PDB file of all heavy atoms in Angstrom:
ATOM      1  N   ILE A   1       0.824  -1.204   0.000  1.00  0.00           N
ATOM      2  CA  ILE A   1       0.000   0.000   0.000  1.00  0.00           C
ATOM      3  C   ILE A   1       0.866   1.265   0.000  1.00  0.00           C
ATOM      4  O   ILE A   1       0.600   2.214  -0.745  1.00  0.00           O
ATOM      5  CB  ILE A   1      -0.963  -0.007   1.205  1.00  0.00           C
ATOM      6  CG1 ILE A   1      -1.995  -1.128   1.036  1.00  0.00           C
ATOM      7  CG2 ILE A   1      -1.672   1.339   1.344  1.00  0.00           C
ATOM      8  CD1 ILE A   1      -2.905  -1.311   2.225  1.00  0.00           C
ATOM      9  N   ILE A   2       1.907   1.273   0.832  1.00  0.00           N
ATOM     10  CA  ILE A   2       2.747   2.470   0.944  1.00  0.00           C
ATOM     11  C   ILE A   2       3.425   2.780  -0.388  1.00  0.00           C
ATOM     12  O   ILE A   2       3.416   3.925  -0.860  1.00  0.00           O
ATOM     13  CB  ILE A   2       3.802   2.290   2.053  1.00  0.00           C
ATOM     14  CG1 ILE A   2       3.113   2.074   3.408  1.00  0.00           C
ATOM     15  CG2 ILE A   2       4.719   3.507   2.126  1.00  0.00           C
ATOM     16  CD1 ILE A   2       4.062   1.675   4.520  1.00  0.00           C
ATOM     17  N   LEU A   3       4.000   1.760  -1.032  1.00  0.00           N
ATOM     18  CA  LEU A   3       4.691   1.978  -2.299  1.00  0.00           C
ATOM     19  C   LEU A   3       3.726   2.327  -3.427  1.00  0.00           C
ATOM     20  O   LEU A   3       4.053   3.125  -4.311  1.00  0.00           O
ATOM     21  CB  LEU A   3       5.528   0.753  -2.669  1.00  0.00           C
ATOM     22  CG  LEU A   3       6.812   0.569  -1.840  1.00  0.00           C
ATOM     23  CD1 LEU A   3       7.506  -0.737  -2.198  1.00  0.00           C
ATOM     24  CD2 LEU A   3       7.765   1.741  -2.070  1.00  0.00           C
ATOM     25  N   ALA A   4       2.530   1.739  -3.394  1.00  0.00           N
ATOM     26  CA  ALA A   4       1.519   2.085  -4.407  1.00  0.00           C
ATOM     27  C   ALA A   4       1.128   3.553  -4.280  1.00  0.00           C
ATOM     28  O   ALA A   4       0.999   4.272  -5.279  1.00  0.00           O
ATOM     29  CB  ALA A   4       0.294   1.195  -4.255  1.00  0.00           C
ATOM     30  N   GLY A   5       0.952   4.018  -3.038  1.00  0.00           N
ATOM     31  CA  GLY A   5       0.647   5.426  -2.806  1.00  0.00           C
ATOM     32  C   GLY A   5       1.760   6.337  -3.274  1.00  0.00           C
ATOM     33  O   GLY A   5       1.527   7.383  -3.884  1.00  0.00           O
ATOM     34  N   ARG A   6       2.996   5.930  -3.028  1.00  0.00           N
ATOM     35  CA  ARG A   6       4.143   6.721  -3.455  1.00  0.00           C
ATOM     36  C   ARG A   6       4.206   6.828  -4.984  1.00  0.00           C
ATOM     37  O   ARG A   6       4.460   7.882  -5.546  1.00  0.00           O
ATOM     38  CB  ARG A   6       5.456   6.083  -2.965  1.00  0.00           C
ATOM     39  CG  ARG A   6       5.918   6.422  -1.608  1.00  0.00           C
ATOM     40  CD  ARG A   6       6.554   7.767  -1.393  1.00  0.00           C
ATOM     41  NE  ARG A   6       5.645   8.854  -1.478  1.00  0.00           N
ATOM     42  CZ  ARG A   6       5.748   9.880  -2.356  1.00  0.00           C
ATOM     43  NH1 ARG A   6       6.735   9.923  -3.197  1.00  0.00           N
ATOM     44  NH2 ARG A   6       4.887  10.870  -2.373  1.00  0.00           N
ATOM     45  N   ARG A   7       3.990   5.696  -5.664  1.00  0.00           N
ATOM     46  CA  ARG A   7       4.028   5.711  -7.138  1.00  0.00           C
ATOM     47  C   ARG A   7       2.964   6.643  -7.693  1.00  0.00           C
ATOM     48  O   ARG A   7       3.219   7.423  -8.621  1.00  0.00           O
ATOM     49  CB  ARG A   7       3.838   4.291  -7.690  1.00  0.00           C
ATOM     50  CG  ARG A   7       5.057   3.409  -7.577  1.00  0.00           C
ATOM     51  CD  ARG A   7       4.917   2.152  -8.406  1.00  0.00           C
ATOM     52  NE  ARG A   7       3.792   1.329  -7.976  1.00  0.00           N
ATOM     53  CZ  ARG A   7       3.869   0.399  -7.009  1.00  0.00           C
ATOM     54  NH1 ARG A   7       5.013   0.175  -6.389  1.00  0.00           N
ATOM     55  NH2 ARG A   7       2.803  -0.325  -6.694  1.00  0.00           N
ATOM     56  N   LEU A   8       1.768   6.557  -7.118  1.00  0.00           N
ATOM     57  CA  LEU A   8       0.673   7.397  -7.608  1.00  0.00           C
ATOM     58  C   LEU A   8       0.994   8.881  -7.404  1.00  0.00           C
ATOM     59  O   LEU A   8       0.846   9.691  -8.318  1.00  0.00           O
ATOM     60  CB  LEU A   8      -0.631   7.020  -6.905  1.00  0.00           C
ATOM     61  CG  LEU A   8      -1.909   7.524  -7.586  1.00  0.00           C
ATOM     62  CD1 LEU A   8      -3.030   6.512  -7.405  1.00  0.00           C
ATOM     63  CD2 LEU A   8      -2.355   8.876  -7.078  1.00  0.00           C
ATOM     64  N   ASN A   9       1.453   9.230  -6.203  1.00  0.00           N
ATOM     65  CA  ASN A   9       1.766  10.637  -5.917  1.00  0.00           C
ATOM     66  C   ASN A   9       2.928  11.152  -6.751  1.00  0.00           C
ATOM     67  O   ASN A   9       2.928  12.301  -7.192  1.00  0.00           O
ATOM     68  CB  ASN A   9       2.045  10.821  -4.427  1.00  0.00           C
ATOM     69  CG  ASN A   9       0.786  10.812  -3.583  1.00  0.00           C
ATOM     70  OD1 ASN A   9      -0.311  11.037  -4.090  1.00  0.00           O
ATOM     71  ND2 ASN A   9       0.935  10.559  -2.281  1.00  0.00           N
ATOM     72  N   ASP A  10       3.928  10.307  -6.970  1.00  0.00           N
ATOM     73  CA  ASP A  10       5.069  10.717  -7.790  1.00  0.00           C
ATOM     74  C   ASP A  10       4.683  10.953  -9.244  1.00  0.00           C
ATOM     75  O   ASP A  10       5.355  11.706  -9.950  1.00  0.00           O
ATOM     76  CB  ASP A  10       6.189   9.665  -7.719  1.00  0.00           C
ATOM     77  CG  ASP A  10       7.134   9.905  -6.545  1.00  0.00           C
ATOM     78  OD1 ASP A  10       7.065  10.987  -5.924  1.00  0.00           O
ATOM     79  OD2 ASP A  10       7.941   9.001  -6.240  1.00  0.00           O
ATOM     80  N   ASN A  11       3.612  10.297  -9.692  1.00  0.00           N
ATOM     81  CA  ASN A  11       3.182  10.429 -11.096  1.00  0.00           C
ATOM     82  C   ASN A  11       2.167  11.549 -11.326  1.00  0.00           C
ATOM     83  O   ASN A  11       1.736  11.759 -12.457  1.00  0.00           O
ATOM     84  CB  ASN A  11       2.589   9.105 -11.588  1.00  0.00           C
ATOM     85  CG  ASN A  11       3.658   8.044 -11.819  1.00  0.00           C
ATOM     86  OD1 ASN A  11       4.794   8.365 -12.163  1.00  0.00           O
ATOM     87  ND2 ASN A  11       3.307   6.780 -11.623  1.00  0.00           N
ATOM     88  N   MET A  12       1.788  12.260 -10.259  1.00  0.00           N
ATOM     89  CA  MET A  12       0.764  13.289 -10.412  1.00  0.00           C
ATOM     90  C   MET A  12       1.224  14.463 -11.280  1.00  0.00           C
ATOM     91  O   MET A  12       0.412  15.076 -11.979  1.00  0.00           O
ATOM     92  CB  MET A  12       0.311  13.796  -9.045  1.00  0.00           C
ATOM     93  CG  MET A  12      -0.601  12.833  -8.300  1.00  0.00           C
ATOM     94  SD  MET A  12      -2.084  12.356  -9.214  1.00  0.00           S
ATOM     95  CE  MET A  12      -3.003  13.909  -9.245  1.00  0.00           C
ATOM     96  N   SER A  13       2.500  14.775 -11.260  1.00  0.00           N
ATOM     97  CA  SER A  13       3.001  15.867 -12.099  1.00  0.00           C
ATOM     98  C   SER A  13       2.803  15.532 -13.576  1.00  0.00           C
ATOM     99  O   SER A  13       2.419  16.399 -14.377  1.00  0.00           O
ATOM    100  CB  SER A  13       4.486  16.129 -11.808  1.00  0.00           C
ATOM    101  OG  SER A  13       4.665  16.559 -10.481  1.00  0.00           O
ATOM    102  N   MET A  14       3.085  14.290 -13.932  1.00  0.00           N
ATOM    103  CA  MET A  14       2.868  13.847 -15.309  1.00  0.00           C
ATOM    104  C   MET A  14       1.385  13.906 -15.664  1.00  0.00           C
ATOM    105  O   MET A  14       1.017  14.317 -16.774  1.00  0.00           O
ATOM    106  CB  MET A  14       3.390  12.413 -15.487  1.00  0.00           C
ATOM    107  CG  MET A  14       3.371  11.903 -16.926  1.00  0.00           C
ATOM    108  SD  MET A  14       3.882  10.165 -17.039  1.00  0.00           S
ATOM    109  CE  MET A  14       5.532  10.254 -16.344  1.00  0.00           C
ATOM    110  N   TYR A  15       0.535  13.508 -14.729  1.00  0.00           N
ATOM    111  CA  TYR A  15      -0.908  13.569 -14.955  1.00  0.00           C
ATOM    112  C   TYR A  15      -1.359  15.010 -15.206  1.00  0.00           C
ATOM    113  O   TYR A  15      -2.132  15.275 -16.128  1.00  0.00           O
ATOM    114  CB  TYR A  15      -1.648  12.981 -13.752  1.00  0.00           C
ATOM    115  CG  TYR A  15      -3.156  13.128 -13.827  1.00  0.00           C
ATOM    116  CD1 TYR A  15      -3.914  12.292 -14.631  1.00  0.00           C
ATOM    117  CD2 TYR A  15      -3.808  14.121 -13.088  1.00  0.00           C
ATOM    118  CE1 TYR A  15      -5.294  12.437 -14.705  1.00  0.00           C
ATOM    119  CE2 TYR A  15      -5.180  14.268 -13.151  1.00  0.00           C
ATOM    120  CZ  TYR A  15      -5.915  13.425 -13.962  1.00  0.00           C
ATOM    121  OH  TYR A  15      -7.288  13.577 -14.031  1.00  0.00           O
ATOM    122  N   VAL A  16      -0.867  15.942 -14.393  1.00  0.00           N
ATOM    123  CA  VAL A  16      -1.223  17.349 -14.539  1.00  0.00           C
ATOM    124  C   VAL A  16      -0.815  17.867 -15.918  1.00  0.00           C
ATOM    125  O   VAL A  16      -1.589  18.534 -16.611  1.00  0.00           O
ATOM    126  CB  VAL A  16      -0.571  18.196 -13.427  1.00  0.00           C
ATOM    127  CG1 VAL A  16      -0.649  19.690 -13.747  1.00  0.00           C
ATOM    128  CG2 VAL A  16      -1.247  17.920 -12.089  1.00  0.00           C
ATOM    129  N   ALA A  17       0.409  17.568 -16.318  1.00  0.00           N
ATOM    130  CA  ALA A  17       0.904  18.019 -17.620  1.00  0.00           C
ATOM    131  C   ALA A  17       0.050  17.457 -18.753  1.00  0.00           C
ATOM    132  O   ALA A  17      -0.317  18.182 -19.690  1.00  0.00           O
ATOM    133  CB  ALA A  17       2.364  17.605 -17.793  1.00  0.00           C
ATOM    134  N   ASN A  18      -0.291  16.184 -18.689  1.00  0.00           N
ATOM    135  CA  ASN A  18      -1.099  15.547 -19.737  1.00  0.00           C
ATOM    136  C   ASN A  18      -2.508  16.127 -19.795  1.00  0.00           C
ATOM    137  O   ASN A  18      -3.063  16.332 -20.878  1.00  0.00           O
ATOM    138  CB  ASN A  18      -1.157  14.040 -19.517  1.00  0.00           C
ATOM    139  CG  ASN A  18       0.165  13.352 -19.831  1.00  0.00           C
ATOM    140  OD1 ASN A  18       0.969  13.879 -20.594  1.00  0.00           O
ATOM    141  ND2 ASN A  18       0.405  12.182 -19.254  1.00  0.00           N
ATOM    142  N   GLN A  19      -3.082  16.393 -18.619  1.00  0.00           N
ATOM    143  CA  GLN A  19      -4.424  16.987 -18.585  1.00  0.00           C
ATOM    144  C   GLN A  19      -4.422  18.377 -19.203  1.00  0.00           C
ATOM    145  O   GLN A  19      -5.357  18.764 -19.910  1.00  0.00           O
ATOM    146  CB  GLN A  19      -4.940  17.046 -17.143  1.00  0.00           C
ATOM    147  CG  GLN A  19      -5.306  15.680 -16.547  1.00  0.00           C
ATOM    148  CD  GLN A  19      -6.437  15.029 -17.285  1.00  0.00           C
ATOM    149  OE1 GLN A  19      -6.221  14.090 -18.058  1.00  0.00           O
ATOM    150  NE2 GLN A  19      -7.644  15.511 -17.092  1.00  0.00           N
ATOM    151  N   LEU A  20      -3.370  19.138 -18.925  1.00  0.00           N
ATOM    152  CA  LEU A  20      -3.255  20.477 -19.497  1.00  0.00           C
ATOM    153  C   LEU A  20      -3.183  20.405 -21.020  1.00  0.00           C
ATOM    154  O   LEU A  20      -3.884  21.147 -21.719  1.00  0.00           O
ATOM    155  CB  LEU A  20      -2.017  21.184 -18.949  1.00  0.00           C
ATOM    156  CG  LEU A  20      -1.774  22.592 -19.529  1.00  0.00           C
ATOM    157  CD1 LEU A  20      -2.834  23.568 -19.020  1.00  0.00           C
ATOM    158  CD2 LEU A  20      -0.375  23.097 -19.184  1.00  0.00           C
ATOM    159  N   ILE A  21      -2.352  19.517 -21.518  1.00  0.00           N
ATOM    160  CA  ILE A  21      -2.168  19.400 -22.969  1.00  0.00           C
ATOM    161  C   ILE A  21      -3.471  18.966 -23.643  1.00  0.00           C
ATOM    162  O   ILE A  21      -3.843  19.488 -24.699  1.00  0.00           O
ATOM    163  CB  ILE A  21      -1.011  18.429 -23.266  1.00  0.00           C
ATOM    164  CG1 ILE A  21       0.315  19.094 -22.891  1.00  0.00           C
ATOM    165  CG2 ILE A  21      -0.995  18.013 -24.739  1.00  0.00           C
ATOM    166  CD1 ILE A  21       1.479  18.154 -22.795  1.00  0.00           C
ATOM    167  N   LYS A  22      -4.189  18.022 -23.045  1.00  0.00           N
ATOM    168  CA  LYS A  22      -5.481  17.583 -23.600  1.00  0.00           C
ATOM    169  C   LYS A  22      -6.471  18.746 -23.687  1.00  0.00           C
ATOM    170  O   LYS A  22      -7.172  18.916 -24.684  1.00  0.00           O
ATOM    171  CB  LYS A  22      -6.076  16.471 -22.728  1.00  0.00           C
ATOM    172  CG  LYS A  22      -5.401  15.119 -22.889  1.00  0.00           C
ATOM    173  CD  LYS A  22      -6.062  14.095 -21.974  1.00  0.00           C
ATOM    174  CE  LYS A  22      -5.386  12.732 -22.063  1.00  0.00           C
ATOM    175  NZ  LYS A  22      -6.011  11.760 -21.111  1.00  0.00           N
ATOM    176  N   THR A  23      -6.513  19.544 -22.620  1.00  0.00           N
ATOM    177  CA  THR A  23      -7.448  20.673 -22.586  1.00  0.00           C
ATOM    178  C   THR A  23      -7.060  21.734 -23.609  1.00  0.00           C
ATOM    179  O   THR A  23      -7.926  22.329 -24.259  1.00  0.00           O
ATOM    180  CB  THR A  23      -7.499  21.276 -21.166  1.00  0.00           C
ATOM    181  OG1 THR A  23      -7.793  20.237 -20.221  1.00  0.00           O
ATOM    182  CG2 THR A  23      -8.577  22.344 -21.075  1.00  0.00           C
ATOM    183  N   MET A  24      -5.759  21.981 -23.756  1.00  0.00           N
ATOM    184  CA  MET A  24      -5.302  22.935 -24.771  1.00  0.00           C
ATOM    185  C   MET A  24      -5.659  22.453 -26.174  1.00  0.00           C
ATOM    186  O   MET A  24      -6.065  23.239 -27.036  1.00  0.00           O
ATOM    187  CB  MET A  24      -3.786  23.147 -24.644  1.00  0.00           C
ATOM    188  CG  MET A  24      -3.375  23.899 -23.389  1.00  0.00           C
ATOM    189  SD  MET A  24      -1.574  23.981 -23.152  1.00  0.00           S
ATOM    190  CE  MET A  24      -1.114  25.105 -24.501  1.00  0.00           C
ATOM    191  N   ASN A  25      -5.522  21.165 -26.409  1.00  0.00           N
ATOM    192  CA  ASN A  25      -5.897  20.604 -27.717  1.00  0.00           C
ATOM    193  C   ASN A  25      -7.380  20.811 -28.005  1.00  0.00           C
ATOM    194  O   ASN A  25      -7.770  21.148 -29.120  1.00  0.00           O
ATOM    195  CB  ASN A  25      -5.566  19.109 -27.759  1.00  0.00           C
ATOM    196  CG  ASN A  25      -4.159  18.836 -28.268  1.00  0.00           C
ATOM    197  OD1 ASN A  25      -3.650  19.577 -29.109  1.00  0.00           O
ATOM    198  ND2 ASN A  25      -3.536  17.754 -27.791  1.00  0.00           N
ATOM    199  N   LYS A  26      -8.199  20.589 -26.974  1.00  0.00           N
ATOM    200  CA  LYS A  26      -9.645  20.767 -27.139  1.00  0.00           C
ATOM    201  C   LYS A  26      -9.992  22.206 -27.496  1.00  0.00           C
ATOM    202  O   LYS A  26     -10.963  22.463 -28.218  1.00  0.00           O
ATOM    203  CB  LYS A  26     -10.378  20.349 -25.857  1.00  0.00           C
ATOM    204  CG  LYS A  26     -10.403  18.839 -25.614  1.00  0.00           C
ATOM    205  CD  LYS A  26     -11.073  18.520 -24.290  1.00  0.00           C
ATOM    206  CE  LYS A  26     -11.052  17.021 -24.010  1.00  0.00           C
ATOM    207  NZ  LYS A  26     -11.626  16.697 -22.667  1.00  0.00           N
ATOM    208  N   LYS A  27      -9.199  23.168 -26.991  1.00  0.00           N
ATOM    209  CA  LYS A  27      -9.422  24.579 -27.282  1.00  0.00           C
ATOM    210  C   LYS A  27      -8.641  25.041 -28.517  1.00  0.00           C
ATOM    211  O   LYS A  27      -8.552  26.228 -28.797  1.00  0.00           O
ATOM    212  CB  LYS A  27      -9.062  25.441 -26.066  1.00  0.00           C
ATOM    213  CG  LYS A  27      -9.923  25.165 -24.838  1.00  0.00           C
ATOM    214  CD  LYS A  27      -9.725  26.183 -23.724  1.00  0.00           C
ATOM    215  CE  LYS A  27     -10.418  27.493 -24.019  1.00  0.00           C
ATOM    216  NZ  LYS A  27     -10.482  28.405 -22.843  1.00  0.00           N
ATOM    217  N   ARG A  28      -8.051  24.049 -29.223  1.00  0.00           N
ATOM    218  CA  ARG A  28      -7.304  24.305 -30.465  1.00  0.00           C
ATOM    219  C   ARG A  28      -6.148  25.286 -30.259  1.00  0.00           C
ATOM    220  O   ARG A  28      -5.878  26.156 -31.092  1.00  0.00           O
ATOM    221  CB  ARG A  28      -8.253  24.803 -31.571  1.00  0.00           C
ATOM    222  CG  ARG A  28      -9.357  23.801 -31.911  1.00  0.00           C
ATOM    223  CD  ARG A  28     -10.164  24.223 -33.107  1.00  0.00           C
ATOM    224  NE  ARG A  28     -11.232  23.295 -33.412  1.00  0.00           N
ATOM    225  CZ  ARG A  28     -11.090  22.132 -34.067  1.00  0.00           C
ATOM    226  NH1 ARG A  28      -9.904  21.797 -34.497  1.00  0.00           N
ATOM    227  NH2 ARG A  28     -12.136  21.341 -34.298  1.00  0.00           N
ATOM    228  N   ILE A  29      -5.485  25.138 -29.142  1.00  0.00           N
ATOM    229  CA  ILE A  29      -4.285  25.927 -28.854  1.00  0.00           C
ATOM    230  C   ILE A  29      -3.065  25.092 -29.241  1.00  0.00           C
ATOM    231  O   ILE A  29      -2.924  23.948 -28.805  1.00  0.00           O
ATOM    232  CB  ILE A  29      -4.208  26.308 -27.361  1.00  0.00           C
ATOM    233  CG1 ILE A  29      -5.418  27.177 -26.978  1.00  0.00           C
ATOM    234  CG2 ILE A  29      -2.906  27.048 -27.057  1.00  0.00           C
ATOM    235  CD1 ILE A  29      -5.531  27.428 -25.481  1.00  0.00           C
ATOM    236  N   GLN A  30      -2.200  25.647 -30.047  1.00  0.00           N
ATOM    237  CA  GLN A  30      -1.032  24.916 -30.513  1.00  0.00           C
ATOM    238  C   GLN A  30      -0.105  24.594 -29.338  1.00  0.00           C
ATOM    239  O   GLN A  30       0.235  25.463 -28.531  1.00  0.00           O
ATOM    240  CB  GLN A  30      -0.276  25.733 -31.570  1.00  0.00           C
ATOM    241  CG  GLN A  30       0.954  24.993 -32.136  1.00  0.00           C
ATOM    242  CD  GLN A  30       1.616  25.746 -33.247  1.00  0.00           C
ATOM    243  OE1 GLN A  30       0.931  26.231 -34.152  1.00  0.00           O
ATOM    244  NE2 GLN A  30       2.933  25.857 -33.233  1.00  0.00           N
ATOM    245  N   ILE A  31       0.308  23.324 -29.251  1.00  0.00           N
ATOM    246  CA  ILE A  31       1.152  22.875 -28.154  1.00  0.00           C
ATOM    247  C   ILE A  31       2.606  23.293 -28.379  1.00  0.00           C
ATOM    248  O   ILE A  31       3.268  23.815 -27.473  1.00  0.00           O
ATOM    249  CB  ILE A  31       1.056  21.342 -27.976  1.00  0.00           C
ATOM    250  CG1 ILE A  31      -0.404  20.912 -27.775  1.00  0.00           C
ATOM    251  CG2 ILE A  31       1.926  20.889 -26.818  1.00  0.00           C
ATOM    252  CD1 ILE A  31      -1.085  21.555 -26.590  1.00  0.00           C
ATOM    253  N   GLU A  32       3.120  23.059 -29.568  1.00  0.00           N
ATOM    254  CA  GLU A  32       4.503  23.408 -29.903  1.00  0.00           C
ATOM    255  C   GLU A  32       4.733  24.913 -29.697  1.00  0.00           C
ATOM    256  O   GLU A  32       3.997  25.746 -30.218  1.00  0.00           O
ATOM    257  CB  GLU A  32       4.804  23.034 -31.355  1.00  0.00           C
ATOM    258  CG  GLU A  32       6.249  23.225 -31.780  1.00  0.00           C
ATOM    259  CD  GLU A  32       7.112  22.022 -31.524  1.00  0.00           C
ATOM    260  OE1 GLU A  32       6.551  20.951 -31.226  1.00  0.00           O
ATOM    261  OE2 GLU A  32       8.328  22.124 -31.642  1.00  0.00           O
ATOM    262  N   ASP A  33       5.742  25.252 -28.894  1.00  0.00           N
ATOM    263  CA  ASP A  33       6.120  26.640 -28.593  1.00  0.00           C
ATOM    264  C   ASP A  33       5.054  27.419 -27.816  1.00  0.00           C
ATOM    265  O   ASP A  33       5.128  28.652 -27.723  1.00  0.00           O
ATOM    266  CB  ASP A  33       6.475  27.411 -29.876  1.00  0.00           C
ATOM    267  CG  ASP A  33       7.749  26.890 -30.522  1.00  0.00           C
ATOM    268  OD1 ASP A  33       8.680  26.491 -29.788  1.00  0.00           O
ATOM    269  OD2 ASP A  33       7.804  26.867 -31.766  1.00  0.00           O
ATOM    270  N   ALA A  34       4.062  26.718 -27.276  1.00  0.00           N
ATOM    271  CA  ALA A  34       3.070  27.393 -26.434  1.00  0.00           C
ATOM    272  C   ALA A  34       3.743  27.959 -25.189  1.00  0.00           C
ATOM    273  O   ALA A  34       4.690  27.393 -24.663  1.00  0.00           O
ATOM    274  CB  ALA A  34       1.968  26.417 -26.031  1.00  0.00           C
ATOM    275  N   LYS A  35       3.243  29.095 -24.743  1.00  0.00           N
ATOM    276  CA  LYS A  35       3.800  29.750 -23.555  1.00  0.00           C
ATOM    277  C   LYS A  35       2.921  29.439 -22.348  1.00  0.00           C
ATOM    278  O   LYS A  35       1.728  29.735 -22.335  1.00  0.00           O
ATOM    279  CB  LYS A  35       3.911  31.258 -23.788  1.00  0.00           C
ATOM    280  CG  LYS A  35       4.956  31.646 -24.841  1.00  0.00           C
ATOM    281  CD  LYS A  35       5.025  33.141 -25.031  1.00  0.00           C
ATOM    282  CE  LYS A  35       6.174  33.526 -25.965  1.00  0.00           C
ATOM    283  NZ  LYS A  35       6.029  32.901 -27.296  1.00  0.00           N
ATOM    284  N   VAL A  36       3.545  28.834 -21.338  1.00  0.00           N
ATOM    285  CA  VAL A  36       2.830  28.418 -20.128  1.00  0.00           C
ATOM    286  C   VAL A  36       3.389  29.178 -18.925  1.00  0.00           C
ATOM    287  O   VAL A  36       4.603  29.277 -18.752  1.00  0.00           O
ATOM    288  CB  VAL A  36       2.970  26.895 -19.892  1.00  0.00           C
ATOM    289  CG1 VAL A  36       2.221  26.488 -18.623  1.00  0.00           C
ATOM    290  CG2 VAL A  36       2.459  26.116 -21.094  1.00  0.00           C
ATOM    291  N   LEU A  37       2.489  29.685 -18.099  1.00  0.00           N
ATOM    292  CA  LEU A  37       2.877  30.338 -16.847  1.00  0.00           C
ATOM    293  C   LEU A  37       2.471  29.434 -15.693  1.00  0.00           C
ATOM    294  O   LEU A  37       1.317  29.034 -15.588  1.00  0.00           O
ATOM    295  CB  LEU A  37       2.193  31.696 -16.702  1.00  0.00           C
ATOM    296  CG  LEU A  37       2.382  32.399 -15.346  1.00  0.00           C
ATOM    297  CD1 LEU A  37       3.841  32.789 -15.117  1.00  0.00           C
ATOM    298  CD2 LEU A  37       1.472  33.626 -15.241  1.00  0.00           C
ATOM    299  N   ILE A  38       3.425  29.140 -14.830  1.00  0.00           N
ATOM    300  CA  ILE A  38       3.131  28.404 -13.599  1.00  0.00           C
ATOM    301  C   ILE A  38       3.217  29.372 -12.428  1.00  0.00           C
ATOM    302  O   ILE A  38       4.251  30.000 -12.198  1.00  0.00           O
ATOM    303  CB  ILE A  38       4.108  27.228 -13.393  1.00  0.00           C
ATOM    304  CG1 ILE A  38       3.981  26.230 -14.546  1.00  0.00           C
ATOM    305  CG2 ILE A  38       3.826  26.532 -12.066  1.00  0.00           C
ATOM    306  CD1 ILE A  38       4.930  25.041 -14.448  1.00  0.00           C
ATOM    307  N   LEU A  39       2.114  29.511 -11.715  1.00  0.00           N
ATOM    308  CA  LEU A  39       2.067  30.383 -10.541  1.00  0.00           C
ATOM    309  C   LEU A  39       2.400  29.558  -9.302  1.00  0.00           C
ATOM    310  O   LEU A  39       1.581  28.801  -8.795  1.00  0.00           O
ATOM    311  CB  LEU A  39       0.682  31.021 -10.411  1.00  0.00           C
ATOM    312  CG  LEU A  39       0.289  32.015 -11.516  1.00  0.00           C
ATOM    313  CD1 LEU A  39      -1.153  32.477 -11.348  1.00  0.00           C
ATOM    314  CD2 LEU A  39       1.223  33.221 -11.528  1.00  0.00           C
ATOM    315  N   GLY A  40       3.640  29.703  -8.846  1.00  0.00           N
ATOM    316  CA  GLY A  40       4.090  28.987  -7.654  1.00  0.00           C
ATOM    317  C   GLY A  40       5.112  27.915  -7.961  1.00  0.00           C
ATOM    318  O   GLY A  40       4.951  27.143  -8.913  1.00  0.00           O
ATOM    319  N   LEU A  41       6.169  27.876  -7.147  1.00  0.00           N
ATOM    320  CA  LEU A  41       7.204  26.850  -7.266  1.00  0.00           C
ATOM    321  C   LEU A  41       7.439  26.123  -5.949  1.00  0.00           C
ATOM    322  O   LEU A  41       7.796  24.946  -5.951  1.00  0.00           O
ATOM    323  CB  LEU A  41       8.523  27.476  -7.731  1.00  0.00           C
ATOM    324  CG  LEU A  41       9.725  26.529  -7.817  1.00  0.00           C
ATOM    325  CD1 LEU A  41       9.527  25.506  -8.946  1.00  0.00           C
ATOM    326  CD2 LEU A  41      11.023  27.284  -8.011  1.00  0.00           C
ATOM    327  N   THR A  42       7.250  26.779  -4.824  1.00  0.00           N
ATOM    328  CA  THR A  42       7.520  26.166  -3.528  1.00  0.00           C
ATOM    329  C   THR A  42       6.630  24.944  -3.317  1.00  0.00           C
ATOM    330  O   THR A  42       5.586  24.814  -3.951  1.00  0.00           O
ATOM    331  CB  THR A  42       7.297  27.173  -2.387  1.00  0.00           C
ATOM    332  OG1 THR A  42       5.935  27.596  -2.395  1.00  0.00           O
ATOM    333  CG2 THR A  42       8.224  28.387  -2.558  1.00  0.00           C
TER     334      THR A  42
END
């Protein structure tokens, strides 16, 4: 259970990126050279 939870949490960044790209595609926003702003790094 502990390792399964760790794998899932470690993969959430990839999930977020993929969800963003899917949504941009739906709005017909070009992915190549698209400008993305991330609010927050800490």
